[in-house]
Amino acid sequence: MTAPTHRETGAPGLAFARDRFAMNVHSDVDSHLDALCHVIFDGELYGGVPSSTVTPDGAGMLTLDLVRDGIVGRGVLLDLPRLRGVPWLDPGDQVTAEDLVAAETAQETKVGPGDLLFVRVGHRVRRRTLGPWDVTRARAGLHPTAMDFLAERGVSVLGSDGNSDAAPSAVAEVGFPVHVLAVNAMGLHLLDWLDFEELVPVCEQQGRWHFLCVVAPLRLPAATGSPVNPIAVL
């Protein structure tokens, strides 16, 4: 809080309550969107853009400005705990391409070109039930080979209630292989640490797992990401 001051509290006349927000965009808690400049691998960004374009003054290419007008498309939610008959996937569990196909079949839905694919692993409900844990050491996510599924289907955006990558990593010496493949190799924007717990019962009630999805990041021209609150419209 920046106001009211002690002097203003309870004083006659006009005063304003004011506050200031600050955040680490790429944290392990807050829902956010990764810009294409976020992931550097072997000195390069997506498309071979040199990592030197990212400077202390901000990113110079592939920034959040690419989606300054927002992202709107058909969202599809695949619920992996529902497929396996459990409340959540345990930390360290990895979702394969075969799992994604099986979830499609079980939910009678289909992921197609241009879709925004959302993969639920149950992170939020586990955290609310059991409390927080060190997600840097153990978390459920996609196995890197699951990215074949996204490439074959022509997915445009990947989102999860985790950060899409499992821990421990399935790839030696690469801590975030799904980030590398999705952002750096395929040019997909990632949506990390989303919350599907209000959406799931609505999808179940309506008997469909696809919806209009609207994502409106902040307009931060040189940024590597933004907090977001994606909206599913059913």
Side-chain angles (χ1 to χ4, degrees):
M1 298 297 292
T2 60
T5 64
H6 179 71
R7 181 178 300 177
E8 292 171 321
T9 303
L14 176 66
F16 294 99
R18 301 191 302 273
D19 46 18
R20 177 181 179 273
F21 297 104
M23 69 177 295
N24 173 9
V25 174
H26 302 287
S27 70
D28 291 325
V29 178
D30 303 302
S31 298
H32 65 270
L33 179 146
D34 290 344
L36 298 187
C37 60
H38 175 50
V39 179
I40 302 167
F41 190 74
D42 285 344
E44 294 183 344
L45 309 180
Y46 171 66
V49 173
S51 61
S52 59
T53 57
V54 181
T55 74
D57 295 321
M61 297 183 67
L62 302 177
T63 71
L64 189 67
D65 207 44
L66 290 176
V67 288
R68 70 189 310 273
D69 294 327
I71 300 172
V72 179
R74 179 180 181 263
V76 179
L77 175 63
L78 297 183
D79 190 340
L80 274 299
R82 184 177 187 270
L83 173 68
R84 298 185 186 179
V86 295
W88 55 72
L89 302 190
D90 289 327
D93 201 345
Q94 304 208 9
V95 177
T96 66
E98 291 75 18
D99 289 327
L100 297 177
V101 173
E104 278 187 317
T105 301
Q107 297 173 213
E108 298 181 342
T109 192
K110 191 81 170 178
V111 178
D115 284 351
L116 287 68
L117 173 60
F118 299 104
V119 178
R120 178 178 178 266
V121 297
H123 172 85
R124 294 288 183 178
V125 69
R126 186 185 193 276
R127 191 178 193 277
R128 289 168 186 153
T129 303
L130 301 180
W133 71 96
D134 186 356
V135 297
T136 64
R137 294 180 177 273
R139 62 183 178 273
L142 296 177
H143 191 278
T145 57
M147 300 308 295
D148 288 338
F149 174 91
L150 278 76
E152 292 168 0
R153 299 300 178 86
V155 167
S156 64
V157 172
L158 172 63
S160 176
D161 51 349
N163 71 352
S164 292
D165 267 294
S169 173
V171 181
E173 299 183 3
V174 180
F176 296 86
V178 171
H179 273 65
V180 172
L181 292 170
V183 179
N184 190 281
M186 298 170 62
L188 301 184
H189 287 90
L190 291 189
L191 296 168
D192 295 340
W193 307 110
L194 303 178
D195 192 335
F196 302 129
E197 299 315 307
E198 293 183 10
L199 177 59
V200 168
V202 177
C203 289
E204 289 178 334
Q205 180 183 26
Q206 297 197 9
R208 63 186 178 97
W209 297 87
H210 61 272
F211 40 82
L212 174 67
C213 185
V214 180
V215 185
L218 300 176
R219 289 189 169 184
L220 305 171
T224 66
S226 170
V228 288
N229 179 30
I231 303 296
V233 183
L234 290 91

